[in-house]
Amino acid sequence: MKKQTLGPERTDVAVVGGGVSGVAIAGALARRGIETLLLEGETLGAGASSAMPGHIFLGLVDPYNRIVTALGAVRAGQIWEISAENRRQVRKRIPPLREGLLALAQKPHELREFEEAFTLLSRHPFPVESWDEKRAREASGSPKVIGGLYDPEGIVIDPTLLVAALAKEARAAGARLLEGIEVEGIESTNRDLQLSTPHGKVHTEIVVIATNGYARRLHPFFGHAILPRKGQFLRTRPLPPMTTLGLHANFGSEAWYQEKGGRIVLGSLRWFEREGEERIWNPQPAARMTEGMITFLREFHPELGEIPLERVGVGIMGFSCDGLPLVGPLPGAPRIVSMAGFCGRGFGFALACAEALAGMIETGTIAPPYRLFSPRRLTIAG
Ligand SMILES: Cc1cc2nc3c(=O)[nH]c(=O)nc-3n(C[C@H](O)[C@H](O)[C@H](O)COP(=O)(O)OP(=O)(O)OC[C@H]3O[C@@H](n4cnc5c(N)ncnc54)[C@H](O)[C@@H]3O)c2cc1C
């Protein structure tokens, strides 16, 4: 990485964070002719954006039926449509590694939820299919499943390739993306905002915080609004062929697929749930988590004997307190804008949200469905 020094710099919009959200919003702003400077503390994609298996899901972590119960059918449909639009945006950038995502049920209550979700989703133009035990077992290579919910337009991508493609686009559109520059604080003055970094100050009209799980380090609003959660991914050595689909279970807590060469790539967040704050920031994989993930793979694919690992890594995700992304100006601080809180679904929402947010920064208004993600909803007045 090239050592960076800063001016002092002045820009119209500064984006903090160079994961999928940061590079997507930087590109969307630059394409609108807005002067944009992105500051990434490490390297582009160094956060959760390179620690995930690559599933581009439709919708949120919670299944559709639960979101309909919580928010109503109209809002749930709007959220699912945003992620469908996001997926179209992803497909325009890079070719998928795998086509088709299959949610697997092991227990009757999971199957009941799938059936409920299927009935509700069938009222929309989302091409979802309900699969019986035989079909789900054949397609997943797992003798342990009792049914599935299949999303034929779901895809698995290489997340690193997507971040690189978005970064290239952003640079081509005129955005400056700098690596190795950590923003230490944001100060609001009468004239502008000042970002302090170890390399000098950046003056900007607007700052977009795209640091997801790390957001609370930059603004107190995120202290309650976004909970950092740790996840882990692993890649096995080549194993016998089992499936050509992207698979997921436990309502998205585990997502995996098998590469063409036989390696299984698995991402999971379950066994970290009881971690204390101090251990969340430990960048090392946890042995307990790795064991849990191997046990999980054996549970679904008991024919696997030894599961030799090639790579294990961790990522920090940002979970908003109500399960929806936080996209828009912070309450009481209109020049500080959130592009965070993606609740384990950043690749399913970031591209569509980036377009909407860039439109808002340009014109002052955001397209109606994206108002569901406004951070203002978390205030009493909102
Ligand atoms: C194990 C695992 C499995 C997952 N599976 C899926 C999945 O299947 N599908 C899906 O859609 N999502 C999945 N996710 C979630 C997805 O990875 C995230 O939602 C997404 O990467 C968030 O992108 P981001 O750009 O918002 O954040 P990040 O990728 O975390 O990027 C934030 C960036 O900000 C930088 N940064 C932090 N603080 C500062 C600072 N002060 N100054 C400058 N830079 C800073 C960091 O270095 C980092 O590069 C998974 C995550 C994990 C960990």
Side-chain angles (χ1 to χ4, degrees):
M1 196 192 338
K2 214 168 68 197
K3 190 158 169 31
Q4 309 277 2
T5 49
L6 290 175
E9 296 279 339
R10 186 166 292 283
T11 184
D12 287 344
V13 180
V15 176
V16 187
V20 66
S21 313
V23 292
I25 183 70
L29 289 164
R31 279 194 295 281
R32 286 168 168 78
I34 298 170
E35 187 188 20
T36 304
L37 173 65
L38 180 148
L39 304 168
E40 161 56 44
E42 296 185 27
T43 52
L44 296 179
S49 295
S50 56
M52 55 85 74
H55 293 51
I56 309 291
F57 293 104
L58 199 57
L60 300 164
V61 169
D62 280 317
Y64 190 68
N65 48 311
R66 291 192 206 167
I67 301 297
V68 169
T69 306
L71 299 177
V74 172
R75 288 175 171 184
Q78 287 172 334
I79 294 168
W80 257 243
E81 181 45 50
I82 290 173
S83 68
E85 167 56 22
N86 186 86
R87 199 143 77 182
R88 291 190 280 274
Q89 297 286 335
V90 172
R91 277 183 182 274
K92 280 187 203 159
R93 264 67 184 212
I94 54 165
L97 297 173
R98 291 287 182 220
E99 299 259 6
L101 295 184
L102 179 60
L104 297 172
Q106 269 186 308
K107 302 189 181 88
H109 78 89
E110 293 172 305
L111 211 50
R112 275 197 300 278
E113 289 223 40
F114 284 3
E115 276 155 18
E116 235 180 281
F118 172 71
T119 308
L120 292 166
L121 282 166
S122 305
R123 296 177 190 157
H124 296 274
F126 303 126
V128 62
E129 296 169 19
S130 175
W131 281 12
D132 63 14
E133 180 178 286
K134 184 168 176 287
R135 200 160 176 205
R137 285 186 178 185
E138 273 169 16
S140 66
S142 170
K144 294 290 180 183
V145 301
I146 59 170
L149 194 61
Y150 181 58
D151 170 8
E153 290 182 1
I155 50 175
V156 179
I157 54 126
D158 178 338
T160 312
L161 266 190
L162 182 61
V163 171
L166 291 168
K168 192 172 168 196
E169 254 180 43
R171 285 188 167 121
R176 283 190 302 150
L177 315 185
L178 303 183
E179 299 177 291
I181 299 196
E182 185 180 351
V183 174
E184 294 170 326
I186 302 170
E187 197 191 324
S188 189
T189 72
N190 287 340
R191 272 186 308 156
D192 58 15
L193 295 167
Q194 292 182 18
L195 311 188
S196 43
T197 85
H199 308 268
K201 283 211 188 288
V202 173
H203 297 262
T204 182
E205 298 302 318
I206 291 174
V207 60
V208 178
I209 299 182
T211 56
N212 207 30
Y214 310 84
R216 57 172 55 188
R217 293 177 172 179
L218 282 179
H219 197 281
F221 171 79
F222 296 108
H224 294 294
I226 294 186
L227 182 72
R229 280 178 76 179
K230 198 169 182 176
Q232 192 161 300
F233 80 97
L234 58 78
R235 172 178 275 114
T236 68
R237 294 239 174 91
L239 295 167
M242 287 178 308
T243 182
T244 58
L245 297 179
L247 304 176
H248 55 109
N250 300 315
F251 300 109
S253 292
E254 274 78 39
W256 70 108
Y257 76 100
Q258 189 166 29
E259 291 178 348
K260 289 201 170 121
R263 292 170 178 82
I264 291 180
V265 180
L266 165 68
S268 175
L269 49 94
R270 261 196 307 162
W271 291 274
F272 273 129
E273 267 166 16
R274 288 187 301 277
E275 294 289 292
E277 172 86 358
E278 70 288 355
R279 292 188 55 190
I280 286 182
W281 304 111
N282 179 348
Q284 296 307 318
R288 187 168 63 88
M289 180 76 174
T290 311
E291 277 163 31
M293 292 170 79
I294 290 176
T295 307
F296 169 85
L297 274 183
R298 285 226 181 85
E299 205 178 289
F300 271 86
H301 303 289
E303 73 283 9
L304 291 176
E306 275 301 288
I307 304 185
L309 301 183
E310 208 170 80
R311 206 175 147 215
V312 184
V314 300
I316 306 289
M317 292 166 276
F319 276 70
S320 68
C321 53
D322 65 355
L324 299 183
L326 287 158
V327 178
L330 297 192
R335 293 179 299 173
I336 304 182
V337 177
S338 169
M339 172 75 183
F342 286 103
C343 303
R345 287 290 181 271
F347 281 78
F349 284 94
L351 281 71
C353 288
E355 283 303 322
L357 191 57
M360 190 219 78
I361 289 171
E362 185 185 30
T363 65
T365 54
I366 195 156
Y370 293 87
R371 288 182 199 149
L372 288 170
F373 298 162
S374 166
R376 230 170 280 154
R377 71 182 187 271
L378 300 183
T379 61
I380 294 168

